[in-house]
Amino acid sequence: FRALTSDLTRRGQQAWLRMPAVDRVQWRISQHDTLFQHWALKELHFYEAVDCTVEVVGQALAGGEDPLFSDHPSYYAFDHEYSTEWWSTCSICASREAWLGIAPIK
């Protein structure tokens, strides 16, 4: 969670985007193995407790994503629509290169 829990989150390969979040309040998942094609997810949801009754709502985040230039943006994974899906920006992804997360809104 190094990139997510600092006050700076990497955006693509060239720039940094300051995220207005307190340390350790952003959550993400990442792939463990090397992938030889993009990673795609239909839906992902985080919950406040193990009973899964209160969903965490917030800003979707993804490694290397520019939301203005994505055909499969990160928010598609949180939209409750099975007709959409998020795709990682890498097509050959090293271990933990592709990740998807959320910065909760409180």
Side-chain angles (χ1 to χ4, degrees), residues 29-46:
I29 62 167
S30 65
Q31 100 290 357
H32 183 268
D33 296 327
T34 299
L35 301 175
F36 296 99
Q37 56 186 341
H38 69 266
W39 190 23
L41 289 174
K42 289 281 190 185
E43 289 296 314
L44 173 65
H45 302 284
F46 294 98

Side-chain angles (χ1 to χ4, degrees), residues 54-74:
V54 179
E55 184 177 343
V56 175
V57 179
Q59 175 66 47
L61 307 166
E65 179 182 78
D66 184 340
L68 299 177
F69 299 102
S70 178
D71 292 332
H72 301 278
S74 56

Side-chain angles (χ1 to χ4, degrees), residues 12-29:
Q13 296 298 319
Q14 312 261 332
W16 292 88
L17 174 66
R18 183 172 296 279
M19 299 298 295
V22 178
D23 191 27
R24 303 183 192 279
V25 297
Q26 298 172 343
W27 297 90
R28 74 174 181 175
I29 62 167

Side-chain angles (χ1 to χ4, degrees), residues 9 56 93:
T9 297
V56 175
C93 307

Side-chain angles (χ1 to χ4, degrees), residues 38-95:
H38 69 266
W39 190 23
L41 289 174
K42 289 281 190 185
E43 289 296 314
L44 173 65
H45 302 284
F46 294 98
Y47 294 89
E48 291 191 12
V50 295
D51 63 4
C52 299
T53 57
V54 179
E55 184 177 343
V56 175
V57 179
Q59 175 66 47
L61 307 166
E65 179 182 78
D66 184 340
L68 299 177
F69 299 102
S70 178
D71 292 332
H72 301 278
S74 56
Y75 66 83
Y76 278 2
F78 301 96
D79 65 1
H80 295 272
E81 292 289 333
Y82 289 110
S83 62
T84 62
E85 61 187 17
W86 164 78
W87 288 12
S88 63
T89 56
C90 53
S91 56
I92 298 177
C93 307
S95 178

